[in-house]
Amino acid sequence: MPEHVAGLVERVIFRNEATGYTVLQVRGVAPGRLLTVVGEAPPVDVGAHVDAEGHWEDDRSWGRQFRASLMVAGPPAGEVGIAAYLASGLVKGIGKGLAGRLARHFGDGILDVLDHNPARLAEVKGVTPKLADELGAAWREQKGVREVMLFLHEHGLPPGRARRIWDAYQSRTVAILKRDPYALARDVSGFGFISADQLARNLGYAADAPERHRAGLLHVLTEATAEGHTGLAREAAAHRLSALTGADAPAFEAAVEGLLGLAALVVEEDGLFPEPFAGQEGRIAERVRLLAEAEPAWAVGDAAGRVDAAENALGVQLSASQRTAAEVLLRSRVAILTGGPGTGKTTLVRALLKALPIDDDAVALAAPTGRAAKRLAESTGRAAKTLHRLLEAEPGRAFRRGAGRPVEAQCVIVDEASMIDVALMDALTTALDDAAALW
């Protein structure tokens, strides 16, 4: 039988935001002493009340502690406890003084006010209507996260990442997961097919459910991207799905048709390509085709003469193959320069920068990683950025640079291009100016 402890959080000793693993120092309601409680939990602050279910253990390094299989935060009873809870960081701007006034004014009835009529909080001095709305919204979110935690625990999943799921679906969370548990793998970072499948099976989905085969097919196709593929041959996909879910040939074909109907899949000849990778790859190919068909925006004139001048300025002598490559690139809007270590790629890039008939600030140097960008800057003597900085990345992998606001450069030179994934290359080619070149 699991045991239970409850109390007020006096100290947050440790928290891993990625997993929700938390170590708390809790003042127990009974027996009223400090307890160490460890386990997965939503974000909690000092002053919050926690209820935990689990068992006691003696850790060799940390001593006596309560290991919680379920830990949820909620308001305590009583004026003092409620005041401490409201002051715990539930809403930014609620300090101890205001929390105490709220608790004194409403007493235990404050929970009912928060649930049904948070506008009444403005009856208390210092609470504006806006702050009352914010407090009511924070209370609803806290209750929602608690509901999700209990739902996950009830169906065999770790509850510590309930906040992440709540952020994806808000008040619709439990309803969505009951209707389509495999949405968890599609929509929420940190959850894959295995977790979603466990939830689905605990909710009563059969092993041969069409939803399970569709989710499994998306999983094996997406998993293949880690191997460098944007899709799989039909036979290979069918084999992998069978190993994962036991799908036979008719079930596999039904899964393909189902995903086509959801616009989650593209079929080309014998290949299956999941979205968004199919769309990204198609856009890259079309953009590169348009670049290859056009002349660069600058007038090259005597390419050989420009290379001669660059050699003299740098005090270097290019090989025949380097000169040929330089002349080709100067006349191209899109080109790939490749070669093993020590073949002179860096020297050639320095020569190209000298030979280009455009202003220095019209050339952008970039690389996929910070280390590669630093090496590029050091070897060329020019400023270089990571691709994310060049595209002005925002949280969540959105970019401020794009078709409507292209990168301000006539020529973009990218080092270590083999490290670029499909999504980033899609963003880069989309963000090029209509007249720009890409090397």
Side-chain angles (χ1 to χ4, degrees):
M1 283 287 293
E3 298 179 86
H4 293 81
V5 299
L8 293 179
V9 177
E10 292 205 354
R11 182 185 172 201
V12 180
I13 298 173
F14 173 80
R15 177 167 176 80
N16 184 318
E17 293 297 339
T19 64
Y21 181 77
T22 305
V23 181
L24 301 175
Q25 196 171 64
V26 174
R27 177 69 64 180
V29 174
R33 56 185 173 83
L34 281 177
L35 315 172
T36 301
V37 181
V38 303
E40 292 189 6
V44 292
D45 293 291
V46 172
H49 183 269
V50 294
D51 288 289
E53 174 184 295
H55 64 275
W56 288 99
E57 65 178 22
D58 292 305
D59 186 271
R60 181 175 298 177
S61 300
W62 307 108
R64 186 76 164 164
Q65 59 186 22
F66 189 83
R67 182 164 296 278
S69 57
L70 174 65
M71 186 172 10
V72 293
E79 182 180 314
V80 174
I82 290 174
Y85 176 69
L86 293 177
S88 69
L90 181 67
V91 174
K92 188 177 180 180
I94 301 291
K96 290 183 178 180
L98 182 52
R101 293 198 299 276
L102 287 167
R104 285 193 297 273
H105 184 81
F106 293 106
D108 288 343
I110 193 171
L111 305 185
D112 185 66
V113 171
L114 286 165
D115 276 333
H116 302 109
N117 193 9
R120 284 195 59 202
L121 299 175
E123 296 173 10
V124 176
K125 183 180 179 181
V127 179
T128 64
K130 179 182 178 183
L131 186 56
D133 287 343
E134 291 175 353
L135 184 53
W139 172 254
R140 289 191 297 274
E141 179 176 313
Q142 185 272 340
K143 286 192 67 178
V145 172
R146 180 187 177 101
E147 181 184 6
V148 175
M149 287 190 70
L150 293 171
F151 176 79
L152 294 177
H153 180 69
E154 179 185 350
H155 294 95
L157 288 182
R161 286 172 285 177
R163 171 75 63 172
R164 193 177 300 173
I165 304 174
W166 170 266
D167 288 343
Y169 303 124
Q170 300 291 309
S171 61
R172 302 173 297 131
T173 298
V174 173
I176 287 174
L177 294 182
K178 284 182 177 179
R179 184 177 69 247
D180 181 11
Y182 294 103
L184 195 63
R186 296 194 304 270
D187 302 334
V188 184
S189 173
F191 288 89
F193 173 80
I194 302 303
S195 296
D197 193 42
Q198 181 182 343
L199 176 59
R201 300 302 296 274
N202 289 338
L203 286 170
Y205 280 72
D208 60 353
E211 298 91 342
R212 183 169 188 257
H213 294 320
R214 286 198 298 268
L217 180 54
L218 269 185
H219 173 73
V220 299
L221 292 172
T222 304
E223 206 175 39
T225 63
E227 304 166 17
H229 307 298
T230 53
L232 285 175
R234 203 179 193 98
E235 183 178 351
H239 177 75
R240 294 191 185 195
L241 180 61
S242 177
L244 180 67
T245 68
D248 57 14
F252 169 75
E253 294 300 331
V256 171
E257 292 302 316
L259 292 179
L260 285 172
L262 295 172
L265 188 70
V266 172
V267 178
E268 292 184 7
E269 298 179 356
D270 190 44
L272 305 181
F273 301 85
E275 290 290 10
F277 302 111
Q280 291 166 346
E281 193 170 49
R283 287 190 296 272
I284 293 167
E286 177 61 15
R287 187 65 173 163
V288 169
R289 182 185 67 79
L290 293 173
L291 287 170
E293 291 177 350
E295 297 292 327
W298 55 80
V300 176
D302 180 11
R306 298 199 72 87
V307 174
D308 287 339
E311 285 182 315
N312 291 332
L314 294 173
V316 299
Q317 181 68 49
L318 300 180
S319 67
S321 61
Q322 284 176 313
R323 288 187 61 89
T324 299
E327 292 176 23
V328 169
L329 264 71
L330 286 172
R331 295 193 178 95
S332 303
R333 279 194 65 194
V334 61
I336 298 173
L337 175 64
T338 184
T343 55
K345 298 188 298 297
T346 297
T347 301
L348 179 54
V349 170
R350 291 174 57 218
L352 283 167
L353 290 172
K354 282 290 184 183
L356 270 169
I358 57 178
D359 294 338
D360 289 353
D361 59 6
V363 181
L365 301 182
T369 66
R371 181 176 294 180
K374 183 178 180 181
R375 285 199 306 267
L376 181 60
E378 291 171 346
S379 63
T380 61
R382 301 276 194 95
K385 299 178 179 179
T386 64
L387 285 171
H388 284 77
R389 283 191 61 200
L390 180 70
L391 298 174
E392 298 180 14
E394 294 180 322
R397 285 186 63 87
F399 298 102
R400 287 192 287 270
R401 293 290 180 178
R405 187 170 175 260
V407 173
E408 295 174 359
Q410 289 182 264
C411 182
V412 178
I413 300 176
V414 182
D415 195 17
E416 301 285 1
S418 62
M419 298 171 62
I420 305 175
D421 63 22
V422 175
L424 187 54
M425 182 60 80
D426 178 36
L428 173 61
T429 55
T430 300
L432 291 177
D433 185 84
D434 288 340
L438 177 64
W439 298 346

CSV table of all heavy atoms in Angstrom, one decimal, residues 353 356-365 382-383 385 390 407-412:
chain,number,residue,atom,x,y,z
A,353,LEU,N,36.3,36.0,-51.7
A,353,LEU,CA,35.9,37.2,-51.1
A,353,LEU,C,36.6,38.5,-51.7
A,353,LEU,O,36.0,39.6,-51.7
A,353,LEU,CB,36.2,37.1,-49.6
A,353,LEU,CG,35.3,36.1,-48.8
A,353,LEU,CD1,35.8,36.0,-47.4
A,353,LEU,CD2,33.8,36.6,-48.8
A,356,LEU,N,35.1,39.0,-55.5
A,356,LEU,CA,33.7,39.3,-55.7
A,356,LEU,C,33.5,40.8,-56.0
A,356,LEU,O,34.0,41.7,-55.3
A,356,LEU,CB,32.9,39.0,-54.4
A,356,LEU,CG,32.2,37.6,-54.3
A,356,LEU,CD1,31.7,37.3,-52.9
A,356,LEU,CD2,31.1,37.4,-55.4
A,357,PRO,N,32.8,41.2,-57.0
A,357,PRO,CA,32.6,42.6,-57.4
A,357,PRO,C,31.5,43.2,-56.7
A,357,PRO,O,30.7,44.0,-57.3
A,357,PRO,CB,32.4,42.5,-58.9
A,357,PRO,CG,31.6,41.2,-59.1
A,357,PRO,CD,32.2,40.2,-58.1
A,358,ILE,N,31.4,43.0,-55.4
A,358,ILE,CA,30.3,43.6,-54.6
A,358,ILE,C,30.9,44.1,-53.3
A,358,ILE,O,32.0,43.7,-52.9
A,358,ILE,CB,29.2,42.7,-54.3
A,358,ILE,CG1,29.6,41.4,-53.6
A,358,ILE,CG2,28.4,42.3,-55.5
A,358,ILE,CD1,28.5,40.4,-53.2
A,359,ASP,N,30.3,45.0,-52.6
A,359,ASP,CA,30.8,45.5,-51.3
A,359,ASP,C,30.9,44.4,-50.3
A,359,ASP,O,30.1,43.4,-50.3
A,359,ASP,CB,29.8,46.6,-50.8
A,359,ASP,CG,29.8,47.8,-51.7
A,359,ASP,OD1,30.8,48.0,-52.4
A,359,ASP,OD2,28.8,48.6,-51.6
A,360,ASP,N,31.8,44.6,-49.4
A,360,ASP,CA,32.1,43.6,-48.3
A,360,ASP,C,30.8,43.3,-47.5
A,360,ASP,O,30.5,42.2,-47.1
A,360,ASP,CB,33.2,44.0,-47.4
A,360,ASP,CG,34.6,43.9,-48.1
A,360,ASP,OD1,34.6,43.4,-49.2
A,360,ASP,OD2,35.5,44.4,-47.5
A,361,ASP,N,30.1,44.4,-47.2
A,361,ASP,CA,28.9,44.2,-46.3
A,361,ASP,C,27.7,43.6,-47.1
A,361,ASP,O,26.6,43.4,-46.5
A,361,ASP,CB,28.5,45.5,-45.7
A,361,ASP,CG,28.2,46.6,-46.7
A,361,ASP,OD1,28.1,46.3,-47.9
A,361,ASP,OD2,27.9,47.8,-46.3
A,362,ALA,N,27.9,43.3,-48.4
A,362,ALA,CA,26.8,42.6,-49.1
A,362,ALA,C,27.0,41.1,-49.1
A,362,ALA,O,26.3,40.4,-49.7
A,362,ALA,CB,26.8,43.1,-50.6
A,363,VAL,N,28.1,40.7,-48.4
A,363,VAL,CA,28.4,39.2,-48.3
A,363,VAL,C,28.2,38.8,-46.8
A,363,VAL,O,28.6,39.4,-45.9
A,363,VAL,CB,29.9,38.9,-48.7
A,363,VAL,CG1,30.1,37.4,-48.6
A,363,VAL,CG2,30.1,39.4,-50.1
A,364,ALA,N,27.4,37.7,-46.7
A,364,ALA,CA,27.2,37.2,-45.3
A,364,ALA,C,27.9,35.8,-45.2
A,364,ALA,O,27.7,34.9,-46.1
A,364,ALA,CB,25.7,37.0,-45.1
A,365,LEU,N,28.7,35.7,-44.1
A,365,LEU,CA,29.3,34.4,-43.9
A,365,LEU,C,28.6,33.7,-42.7
A,365,LEU,O,28.3,34.4,-41.7
A,365,LEU,CB,30.8,34.6,-43.5
A,365,LEU,CG,31.7,35.3,-44.6
A,365,LEU,CD1,33.1,35.4,-44.0
A,365,LEU,CD2,31.6,34.6,-45.9
A,382,ARG,N,36.8,37.9,-41.7
A,382,ARG,CA,35.5,38.6,-41.8
A,382,ARG,C,34.6,38.1,-40.7
A,382,ARG,O,34.8,37.0,-40.1
A,382,ARG,CB,34.9,38.3,-43.1
A,382,ARG,CG,35.7,38.7,-44.4
A,382,ARG,CD,35.4,40.1,-44.7
A,382,ARG,NE,35.9,40.4,-46.1
A,382,ARG,CZ,35.2,40.3,-47.2
A,382,ARG,NH1,33.9,40.1,-47.1
A,382,ARG,NH2,35.7,40.6,-48.4
A,383,ALA,N,33.6,38.9,-40.3
A,383,ALA,CA,32.6,38.5,-39.4
A,383,ALA,C,31.8,37.3,-39.9
A,383,ALA,O,31.5,37.3,-41.1
A,383,ALA,CB,31.7,39.7,-39.0
A,385,LYS,N,28.5,34.4,-38.7
A,385,LYS,CA,27.5,34.2,-37.7
A,385,LYS,C,27.0,32.7,-37.8
A,385,LYS,O,27.3,32.1,-38.9
A,385,LYS,CB,26.2,35.0,-38.0
A,385,LYS,CG,26.5,36.5,-37.9
A,385,LYS,CD,25.2,37.3,-38.2
A,385,LYS,CE,25.4,38.8,-38.1
A,385,LYS,NZ,24.1,39.5,-38.5
A,390,LEU,N,22.0,34.5,-38.2
A,390,LEU,CA,21.8,35.1,-39.5
A,390,LEU,C,20.3,35.2,-39.8
A,390,LEU,O,19.8,36.2,-40.3
A,390,LEU,CB,22.5,34.3,-40.6
A,390,LEU,CG,22.3,34.8,-42.0
A,390,LEU,CD1,23.1,36.1,-42.2
A,390,LEU,CD2,22.8,33.7,-43.0
A,407,VAL,N,17.2,37.9,-45.8
A,407,VAL,CA,18.6,38.2,-45.3
A,407,VAL,C,19.1,39.3,-46.2
A,407,VAL,O,19.1,39.2,-47.4
A,407,VAL,CB,19.5,37.0,-45.3
A,407,VAL,CG1,20.9,37.4,-45.0
A,407,VAL,CG2,19.0,36.0,-44.3
A,408,GLU,N,19.7,40.4,-45.6
A,408,GLU,CA,20.2,41.5,-46.4
A,408,GLU,C,21.6,41.2,-46.9
A,408,GLU,O,22.6,41.6,-46.3
A,408,GLU,CB,20.2,42.8,-45.5
A,408,GLU,CG,18.8,43.2,-45.2
A,408,GLU,CD,18.7,44.3,-44.2
A,408,GLU,OE1,19.8,44.8,-43.8
A,408,GLU,OE2,17.6,44.8,-43.8
A,409,ALA,N,21.7,40.4,-47.9
A,409,ALA,CA,23.0,40.0,-48.5
A,409,ALA,C,22.8,39.6,-50.0
A,409,ALA,O,21.8,39.0,-50.3
A,409,ALA,CB,23.7,38.9,-47.7
A,410,GLN,N,23.8,40.0,-50.8
A,410,GLN,CA,23.8,39.6,-52.2
A,410,GLN,C,24.4,38.2,-52.4
A,410,GLN,O,24.1,37.5,-53.4
A,410,GLN,CB,24.5,40.6,-53.1
A,410,GLN,CG,23.8,41.9,-53.2
A,410,GLN,CD,24.5,42.8,-54.1
A,410,GLN,OE1,25.3,43.7,-53.7
A,410,GLN,NE2,24.3,42.7,-55.4
A,411,CYS,N,25.2,37.8,-51.4
A,411,CYS,CA,25.9,36.5,-51.5
A,411,CYS,C,26.0,35.9,-50.1
A,411,CYS,O,26.5,36.6,-49.2
A,411,CYS,CB,27.3,36.6,-52.1
A,411,CYS,SG,28.1,35.0,-52.3
A,412,VAL,N,25.5,34.7,-49.9
A,412,VAL,CA,25.5,34.1,-48.6
A,412,VAL,C,26.5,32.9,-48.7
A,412,VAL,O,26.2,32.0,-49.5
A,412,VAL,CB,24.2,33.6,-48.1
A,412,VAL,CG1,24.3,32.9,-46.8
A,412,VAL,CG2,23.2,34.8,-47.9
